[in-house]
Amino acid sequence: MLLPNKPLSDEHRFFLESIREFYQTEIVPHHEEWEQQGMISREAWTKAGELGFLCLTVPEEYGGAGVDFSFSQIMIEEQHRQGCSGPGFYLHSDIVAPYLVHQGSDYLKYHFLPKMATGECITAIGMTEPGAGSDLQAIRTTAIRDGDEYIINGSKTFITNGYMCDAVLLAVKTDPNNENRSAGTSLIMVEADREGFTKNYPFKKIGMKAQDTCEMFFDDVRVPVKNLLGEEGKGFLYMMQELPRERLLVAINAIAVAEEALKRTIQYVQERQAFGKQVAQFQNTRFKIAEMTAEVQMGRLLVDRCCELLSNDQLDAETAAMAKFATTDIQCKVVDECLQLHGGYGYMWEFWIAKAYADSRVQKIYAGTNEIMKEIVAKKVIKENQVVY
Ligand SMILES: Cc1cc2nc3c(=O)[nH]c(=O)nc-3n(C[C@H](O)[C@H](O)[C@H](O)COP(=O)(O)OP(=O)(O)OC[C@H]3O[C@@H](n4cnc5c(N)ncnc54)[C@H](O)[C@@H]3O)c2cc1C
């Protein structure tokens, strides 16, 4: 890169080396087999837990590593540089765990977080339903209070870690008749072994083939009221508070993949010959590489700035939305152009770039589609006439 990335401290460098070794020895050799079976192994989760790589930012009191977000950033980037889209570690450690840390009761924190940190309890988050994705307020899964329990009915779809999960943080309507659609929404931790909770086998997807994305069904599932996160009716508010972080995680993944694609392609075009010269010597190749370098660096600066903002509790919904759509657009464009520069080899599954192409596409869809991200940004800058410079 022309602009050097942020220098790493010794502590960060040591962490990066350990995490790299973990992915190279425990994940990469099994990934292809996991792609065939549609999920990773439970041992991969417990190994990550044993080595202290799960729930990095969770306070030590609850079993986490108690380190700051920069370590999560390093872990996510390394996972995607190694081409491992299977493990849903960051959804578990950096999306579900923060909900519990920020809003969970002592019971929920002490009951779930230590087991999540060891990998003994794999978690998922269930918001999307067959009839409600972008329009989250339209969810229809209900949790109706009955004494000290809620009775849950409904279904969720496209849930990451869904098939393997031992517990899901579920978005439900506790007050389905409330005319204020967001006011009736709550979040409840539901253990997978509760009667009436069933899952379908993982979906077959274009990419992220080792990721166990699935549908789940709730048929009169009884859950104690102590599993409610925070206050009843505040679920939508909690989601709005946590979604900027989720969107930044997607942006971190996006830029790591775009950087890696570019790095590998620069090497490939210097090795590959056509018409008696290196592919790197054609003007088209040189211009594409120069353009992609500029785009990737713009994305990198944006992501690193957003990570700083998140660490200072200053990342707002609009900035996170901007980072999510801008970087995932860069990712998809860069990966597509890099694949083109690989010619036919780029289309072969054993090539890193082919998998990156298949894995990248969903980045513009989940965690809120890029169209919804643009609506969030436009609403802010148009209504408030707020320009960013
Ligand atoms: C691999 C994968 C993993 C996922 N993991 C999870 C998970 O762990 N947990 C979870 O809860 N969900 C998960 N999702 C679901 C994901 O968040 C939703 O698919 C996404 O939010 C879009 O919802 P939808 O699929 O219902 O699309 P829809 O909402 O039906 O959208 C269809 C199209 O309409 C557009 N659109 C909708 N509303 C507007 C609007 N107001 N303005 C402009 N365009 C609009 C959308 O941008 C999109 O192009 C996952 C999805 C995938 C594919």
Side-chain angles (χ1 to χ4, degrees):
M1 286 293 139
L2 298 178
L3 292 171
N5 283 353
K6 254 186 346 191
L8 293 179
S9 67
D10 288 347
E11 205 184 350
H12 285 110
R13 187 169 302 283
F14 177 73
F15 178 72
L16 173 60
E17 282 161 14
S18 336
I19 205 82
R20 183 166 293 160
E21 194 187 332
F22 166 69
Y23 280 114
Q24 283 174 349
T25 57
E26 304 293 339
I27 306 293
V28 173
H30 308 289
H31 209 268
E32 191 139 349
E33 183 194 332
W34 295 340
E35 285 164 15
Q36 312 283 341
Q37 67 193 35
M39 69 193 84
I40 73 167
S41 69
R42 200 160 256 281
E43 293 72 56
W45 280 93
T46 44
K47 189 75 195 176
E50 242 171 63
L51 294 169
F53 294 147
L54 296 177
C55 298
L56 288 168
T57 63
V58 168
E60 287 173 282
E61 186 186 354
Y62 309 119
V67 293
D68 68 51
F69 183 71
S70 58
F71 289 86
S72 293
Q73 184 185 358
I74 290 174
M75 181 161 172
I76 296 164
E77 290 186 1
E78 190 54 28
Q79 175 171 333
H80 292 286
R81 288 204 168 98
Q82 301 278 340
C84 305
S85 59
F89 295 151
Y90 79 69
L91 182 129
H92 166 90
S93 302
D94 294 294
I95 298 178
V96 179
Y99 274 97
L100 292 167
V101 171
H102 297 148
Q103 305 299 341
S105 60
D106 278 353
Y107 164 72
L108 289 178
K109 285 177 181 152
Y110 286 109
H111 184 69
F112 285 103
L113 290 169
K115 289 189 287 186
M116 287 169 66
T118 57
E120 191 189 332
C121 175
I122 300 170
T123 58
I125 183 159
M127 300 182 195
T128 308
E129 298 186 358
S134 302
D135 182 8
L136 262 184
Q137 295 185 10
I139 60 167
R140 294 173 65 179
T141 298
T142 53
I144 304 302
R145 182 114 184 215
D146 180 34
D148 289 341
E149 293 178 320
Y150 287 107
I151 305 175
I152 302 179
N153 280 290
S155 65
K156 296 285 170 184
T157 195
F158 306 146
I159 306 306
T160 303
N161 295 345
Y163 192 73
M164 293 185 74
C165 78
D166 303 294
V168 56
L169 182 60
L170 203 66
V172 291
K173 286 279 169 88
T174 37
D175 183 6
N177 299 322
N178 196 321
E179 283 184 9
N180 176 350
R181 294 194 307 160
S182 63
T185 307
S186 301
L187 296 174
I188 301 182
M189 280 298 274
V190 184
E191 296 89 342
D193 57 3
R194 291 202 176 269
E195 209 182 321
F197 180 175
T198 52
K199 303 159 175 179
N200 263 355
Y201 203 71
F203 289 108
K204 292 218 177 296
K205 306 189 292 300
I206 290 179
M208 305 188 81
K209 292 179 186 293
Q211 176 59 248
D212 55 316
T213 315
C214 84
E215 267 178 305
M216 36 184 65
F217 306 93
F218 304 88
D219 184 12
D220 284 336
V221 178
R222 287 185 169 267
V223 178
V225 167
K226 66 183 178 183
N227 279 25
L228 175 74
L229 195 89
E231 288 177 46
E232 195 177 284
K234 292 221 169 143
F236 204 77
L237 176 73
Y238 301 148
M239 288 192 268
M240 292 306 109
Q241 287 167 353
E242 297 294 334
L243 278 167
R245 181 186 178 106
E246 178 171 345
R247 288 167 183 158
L248 177 58
L249 299 169
V250 174
I252 292 170
N253 168 350
I255 283 308
V257 171
E259 282 176 347
E260 186 68 20
L262 189 52
K263 188 177 122 197
R264 288 175 187 251
T265 303
I266 290 170
Q267 193 179 338
Y268 182 81
V269 294
Q270 291 178 94
E271 288 162 3
R272 181 76 179 165
Q273 300 269 328
F275 296 95
K277 53 182 175 179
Q278 291 178 347
V279 170
Q281 288 173 340
F282 299 120
Q283 190 186 51
N284 174 65
T285 308
R286 304 174 72 77
F287 283 10
K288 286 284 177 211
I289 298 281
E291 286 162 12
M292 289 193 281
T293 301
E295 281 172 307
V296 170
Q297 292 219 313
M298 288 189 284
R300 162 58 62 194
L301 292 172
L302 179 58
V303 162
D304 283 350
R305 177 78 183 112
C306 286
C307 288
E308 276 169 28
L309 288 171
L310 183 82
S311 299
N312 297 323
D313 280 334
Q314 290 174 334
L315 183 66
D316 61 37
E318 295 80 13
T319 312
M322 178 173 71
K324 197 265 178 182
F325 83 72
T327 56
T328 54
D329 280 351
I330 291 173
Q331 173 186 10
C332 289
K333 183 168 169 230
V334 164
V335 167
D336 181 51
E337 289 182 348
C338 286
L339 187 151
Q340 186 71 15
L341 290 173
H342 278 72
Y345 290 102
Y347 200 66
M348 299 300 125
W349 194 246
E350 66 261 37
F351 271 66
W352 184 96
I353 195 70
K355 288 188 189 184
Y357 181 81
D359 290 342
S360 294
R361 186 59 184 85
V362 74
Q363 289 261 96
K364 298 205 265 191
I365 297 171
Y366 58 20
T369 66
N370 282 13
E371 292 74 32
I372 296 296
M373 297 304 99
K374 288 171 194 175
E375 280 296 338
I376 293 172
V377 174
K379 195 168 156 195
K380 172 89 173 178
V381 296
I382 294 171
K383 193 164 131 205
E384 297 185 9
N385 196 20
Q386 184 186 336
V387 276
V388 250
Y389 48 86

